[in-house]
Amino acid sequence: QRRVMGDIALNMKKFFQGLAARFSNKQWVGVDKFGNRYYVVQDEDLLRRTVQYAEDGDAGRIPPAWDSWLRHSREEPPTPAEMEAEERRLATLAVKVAELKRKEEEMMRRDRELKTIPRSDATAQGLLRDLKGEKQPDVQGTEPAGKGSEFKPGGWTPAGPKR
């Protein structure tokens, strides 16, 4: 019975709001995808733009184009074609963001794999390069050596000028 009374009250509220809108100086302008309704109200010399929120009443769900119109940042209200174009743009942007996140995760995974190569293997590869007479990398460094009080930190030397 409570549910029925709630529905009746809601329908009565909508009825009286519609009736009041017909006899007021409120002019309907448009509606957004969330069901918010936008109006222009003429009060003497003052022109106000208002919104009647959808059933859930979440004021945070106003599309940016409508928000700009409400704040008088744009002269004309957004058109349905403009709102559809914005939806497509946002969908494309979401795909691009997902692709960038995937690439970033892949790069981080590779970086973790490279960091797991033991330093002794890297040093051995450098020694093999020396023995084979291959060109040294542009930046040369020394590996840390020793433990405890015999520890000697590694160092690096930047490459000389390129010719």
Side-chain angles (χ1 to χ4, degrees):
Q1 182 165 355
R2 271 189 156 167
R3 172 83 175 149
V4 172
M5 292 302 289
D7 288 344
I8 291 173
L10 183 63
N11 287 333
M12 292 294 288
K13 178 182 174 185
K14 285 181 181 180
F15 172 75
F16 284 114
Q17 284 176 342
L19 191 61
R22 289 192 189 280
F23 293 106
S24 73
N25 50 0
K26 188 189 272 190
Q27 180 184 357
W28 183 79
V29 175
V31 64
D32 65 21
K33 69 178 183 177
F34 302 114
N36 299 323
R37 299 169 61 93
Y38 299 91
Y39 297 93
V40 173
V41 179
Q42 184 73 40
D43 290 333
E44 296 177 16
D45 293 336
L46 181 66
L47 181 73
R48 288 186 306 126
R49 297 174 179 178
T50 63
V51 60
Q52 180 180 359
Y53 298 109
E55 293 294 320
D56 57 6
D58 185 5
R61 290 177 35 166
I62 294 180
W66 278 108
D67 187 58
S68 296
W69 179 79
L70 282 170
R71 296 172 186 271
H72 296 269
S73 296
R74 62 181 290 161
E75 211 40 51
E76 297 296 320
T79 63
E82 190 178 352
M83 297 305 293
E84 287 176 23
E86 179 67 9
E87 286 296 317
R88 285 192 304 275
R89 187 189 71 78
L90 290 175
T92 302
L93 184 64
V95 169
K96 289 179 180 179
V97 166
E99 179 64 19
L100 284 173
K101 283 184 179 181
R102 187 194 61 74
K103 285 181 180 179
E104 182 182 31
E105 288 170 0
E106 178 65 22
M107 287 174 54
M108 291 177 73
R109 184 190 60 77
R110 282 191 206 147
D111 191 39
R112 282 192 303 272
E113 287 174 359
L114 290 174
K115 286 181 180 177
T116 59
I117 296 175
R119 285 197 180 271
S120 58
D121 288 350
T123 304
Q125 289 172 359
L127 290 173
L128 285 173
R129 212 177 5 255
D130 287 347
L131 291 173
K132 292 179 182 176
E134 294 177 0
K135 182 181 174 189
Q136 289 291 330
D138 289 340
V139 177
Q140 297 180 6
T142 58
E143 295 295 321
K147 291 185 179 179
S149 62
E150 298 175 6
F151 177 77
K152 293 181 183 173
W156 65 277
T157 314
K162 298 208 179 211
R163 296 178 193 215

